[in-house]
Amino acid sequence: QVQLVESGGGLVQAGGSLRLSCEASGTIFSRNRMGWYRQAPGKQRELVAVISSGGTTNYADSAKGRFTISRDNAKNTVYLQMNSLKPEDTAVYYCNAYYSGMNSWGKGTLVTVSS
């Protein structure tokens, strides 16, 4: 069973930075497409960024130019570097692993951006 544990969330002022981490276990990490999603209060969960097993990245328009997703297969970890944070980035951020039709989710980490 795949387990994903996020860390790195917290409270930051607008314009600041945070780096989220997600450590995976129970899977051959390098095979998975990894992603970060977020869910703000009263809104649906939305894609932030994904990185394929080969390292190809895709970003939501809201994340382009500010966020960077990366992975370290040796550490079974995916990262999300978030810069120039805005109050509208406030959400619970979830890590996702996808492989061969199977999706796995972490429990999320809260990011709060104050104005």
Side-chain angles (χ1 to χ4, degrees):
Q1 185 173 354
V2 180
Q3 291 189 326
L4 303 172
V5 180
E6 302 100 334
S7 61
L11 174 64
V12 63
Q13 287 188 332
S17 298
L18 283 175
R19 188 175 83 152
L20 306 183
S21 300
C22 170
E23 185 173 358
S25 59
T27 183
I28 301 175
F29 180 79
S30 60
R31 293 183 178 179
N32 286 267
R33 185 193 73 194
M34 301 300 297
W36 287 97
Y37 292 72
R38 69 186 183 187
Q39 188 166 17
K43 295 188 177 181
Q44 290 188 330
R45 191 173 298 189
E46 64 178 6
L47 171 71
V48 176
V50 293
I51 183 166
S52 72
S53 57
T56 301
T57 58
N58 279 290
Y59 296 90
D61 287 344
S62 59
K64 288 179 181 176
R66 299 188 300 129
F67 295 0
T68 303
I69 189 171
S70 61
R71 65 191 297 158
D72 185 338
N73 289 339
K75 295 182 178 180
N76 289 356
T77 300
V78 61
Y79 305 98
L80 184 69
Q81 177 66 44
M82 304 187 294
N83 298 328
S84 303
L85 283 161
K86 305 174 181 179
E88 51 263 45
D89 294 318
T90 295
V92 177
Y93 284 71
Y94 296 92
C95 180
N96 171 266
Y98 174 83
Y99 175 70
S100 191
M102 293 185 61
N103 264 308
S104 299
W105 295 92
K107 293 183 178 180
T109 185
L110 177 63
V111 172
T112 303
V113 184
S114 63
S115 57

